[in-house]
Amino acid sequence: MTSVGVPEVFARRPKRADARRNYEALVAAAREAFGERGTSASLEEIARRAQVGIGTLYRHFPTRQELLEAVYVDEVEALCRSAAELADLPPWDAFVAWINRFVAYVATKRALAEELVDSEVFRGCRTAIYAAGEPMLRRAQEAGVARPDATFDDVLRLLSGITAAQFTEPGQRERVLGFALDGLRQPTAAR
Amino acid sequence: MTSVGVPEVFARRPKRADARRNYEALVAAAREAFGERGTSASLEEIARRAQVGIGTLYRHFPTRQELLEAVYVDEVEALCRSAAELADLPPWDAFVAWINRFVAYVATKRALAEELVDSEVFRGCRTAIYAAGEPMLRRAQEAGVARPDATFDDVLRLLSGITAAQFTEPGQRERVLGFALDGLRQPTAAR
DNA sequence: TTGCATCCGGAGGCAACCCTCCGCTAGTTT
DNA sequence: AAACTAGCGGAGGGTTGCCTCCGGATGCAA
């Protein structure tokens, strides 16, 4: 628990060139397929999309679960990296900016996450996200610009839903997100 | 289009006693099954649960879609009825109370709703929900207790996500919902 | 270049699901 | 209570998906 660094959850890719190529193609194909067809997309279709034999898919991901996890981890990895880049903004702005990335990254991944609740990897990702986002909330609270009675967990649950909704009207997502963020602001804070 | 009353979407049940019994058993079984297994639950399992032949299921609901719709309509129907009962509360309280029912009723129905986007019945239900809830928001806005720049659509999207999240810690749902509602309040309103 | 460990591909057996079809059952009406 | 239907059930054929297994291909180290 000393250095947070890159959590161990984050994927270990195959070493041999062809294997690695296939691994990546499979994750990409799976991301698409799960996105379009939901988490029960056919594994054989995914193999087809990746231009890879079904056997290859099963070698890399003996379980549908493992493939789901691989896709998910991929997204989370990117999200966590982005937290570090925001450190020098003012507390509230940094918080809001990260939340925006959170919304963007996780937007299409809800169905996926649902399938992964109570999975080892999922818990790992959760930890990683907390490690990235929780300090930003705390900083905003210590600066007196975020309400002190909200936990980071509360924030995630409040916002993760907004990511789910389909917004057609342009700007609506931002507006709605704004309402939610107003609800998280220090009530006495100026506006 | 004169009287709103009971929208035409709301289901027309079979007339004969046994048929009606089976219809109801099927919807109930489907609600459970879709809840547990997701929208791709096996139709044969649903028939089994309902203690009904598979043929009977197909006669009542020639399409998986139609069964999904029947389950969904059932929920919405109850929700809409509940709006009328709140008319004599003060504007903000009425609004909050309805929102709470909304959250409770729709909680487990998200996956279901997802499958139904761009379905005729779904649009009908959407209309019904608007008819029930939109006046409550407007009343609160006219009383100056809800922010005037939020549409009812915004409200639904803001809240429908919260319904999705799994809350383990008791009271968390209420707390988080409270944050969201604070975000919807008239900013200048006392607290 | 050679040799080997690793990786590939897809045929094939198995299981689950979908949906139709039709002989039978049982509400309903008179 | 008799006749008339609407409704029931489940066997069965077709399809699709899951997963294993192993002969052959291929990257890589020496």
Side-chain angles (χ1 to χ4, degrees):
Chain A
M1 264 297 120
T2 52
S3 124
V4 181
V6 174
E8 335 62 49
V9 233
F10 292 163
R12 194 149 342 311
R13 273 81 192 276
K15 4 40 290 263
R16 231 178 76 171
D18 53 347
R20 190 194 183 85
R21 218 176 13 251
N22 286 334
Y23 180 99
E24 242 119 61
L26 280 168
V27 171
R31 185 185 353 266
E32 281 180 39
F34 289 144
E36 296 172 17
R37 313 267 219 231
T39 46
S40 55
S42 152
L43 297 185
E44 302 201 318
E45 187 198 323
I46 292 175
R48 266 194 305 275
R49 280 200 203 214
Q51 314 241 51
V52 144
I54 182 67
T56 302
L57 185 152
Y58 275 97
R59 194 168 332 95
H60 286 300
F61 308 100
T63 280
R64 169 185 296 271
Q65 175 87 1
E66 279 173 67
L67 181 52
L68 284 170
E69 291 178 350
V71 172
Y72 185 74
V73 164
D74 223 47
E75 301 295 317
V76 172
E77 214 165 342
L79 175 61
C80 288
R81 261 198 306 272
S82 88
E85 307 162 9
L86 302 172
D88 30 279
L89 291 176
W92 182 256
D93 298 350
F95 178 65
V96 170
W98 189 76
I99 287 301
N100 272 293
R101 302 207 181 182
F102 177 79
V103 170
Y105 274 109
V106 186
T108 55
K109 299 300 170 284
R110 187 181 12 94
L112 212 145
E114 206 145 313
E115 212 83 356
L116 294 181
V117 182
D118 60 40
S119 123
E120 185 55 40
V121 171
F122 183 74
R123 274 192 293 276
C125 285
R126 188 168 197 75
T127 306
I129 291 180
Y130 271 60
E134 219 257 329
M136 313 197 76
L137 172 63
R138 204 172 20 242
R139 192 156 79 100
Q141 286 173 326
E142 280 163 5
V145 292
R147 62 192 301 161
D149 56 339
T151 69
F152 184 65
D153 198 55
D154 292 345
V155 174
L156 286 195
R157 291 181 205 273
L158 173 57
L159 295 171
S160 65
I162 298 178
T163 69
Q166 299 289 344
F167 293 95
T168 48
E169 182 194 326
Q172 188 183 21
R173 159 166 282 139
E174 290 67 29
R175 188 169 66 250
V176 172
L177 203 51
F179 297 157
L181 289 171
D182 274 358
L184 289 173
R185 257 187 141 134
Q186 178 63 270
T188 61
R191 84 174 315 270
Chain B
M1 264 297 122
T2 52
S3 124
V4 181
V6 174
E8 335 60 51
V9 234
F10 293 162
R12 194 148 338 310
R13 273 80 191 275
K15 34 296 100 168
R16 229 179 76 171
D18 53 347
R20 191 195 182 83
R21 218 177 12 251
N22 285 333
Y23 180 99
E24 242 120 58
L26 279 168
V27 171
R31 186 186 351 267
E32 281 179 38
F34 289 144
E36 295 171 19
R37 314 266 219 231
T39 47
S40 55
S42 153
L43 297 185
E44 302 201 317
E45 187 198 323
I46 292 175
R48 265 195 307 276
R49 281 201 203 214
Q51 314 241 51
V52 143
I54 182 68
T56 301
L57 185 152
Y58 274 97
R59 195 168 331 96
H60 285 301
F61 308 101
T63 280
R64 170 185 294 273
Q65 175 87 1
E66 280 173 67
L67 182 52
L68 284 170
E69 291 178 350
V71 172
Y72 184 74
V73 164
D74 222 47
E75 302 294 317
V76 173
E77 214 165 342
L79 175 61
C80 288
R81 260 199 306 274
S82 88
E85 308 162 9
L86 301 171
D88 30 278
L89 292 176
W92 181 255
D93 297 350
F95 178 65
V96 169
W98 189 76
I99 288 301
N100 272 292
R101 301 208 182 181
F102 177 79
V103 170
Y105 274 110
V106 186
T108 54
K109 299 298 170 286
R110 186 180 12 93
L112 211 144
E114 207 146 312
E115 212 83 356
L116 294 181
V117 183
D118 61 42
S119 124
E120 184 56 40
V121 170
F122 183 75
R123 274 192 293 276
C125 285
R126 189 170 197 75
T127 305
I129 291 180
Y130 271 58
E134 218 256 330
M136 313 197 74
L137 172 64
R138 204 175 16 241
R139 192 156 79 101
Q141 287 173 324
E142 279 162 6
V145 292
R147 63 192 302 162
D149 57 339
T151 68
F152 184 65
D153 198 56
D154 292 346
V155 174
L156 285 195
R157 291 181 205 274
L158 172 57
L159 295 172
S160 66
I162 298 178
T163 69
Q166 298 289 346
F167 293 95
T168 49
E169 182 194 327
Q172 189 183 20
R173 159 166 283 139
E174 290 68 28
R175 188 167 68 248
V176 172
L177 203 50
F179 297 157
L181 289 171
D182 274 357
L184 288 173
R185 254 186 144 137
Q186 177 65 268
T188 61
R191 85 172 315 271

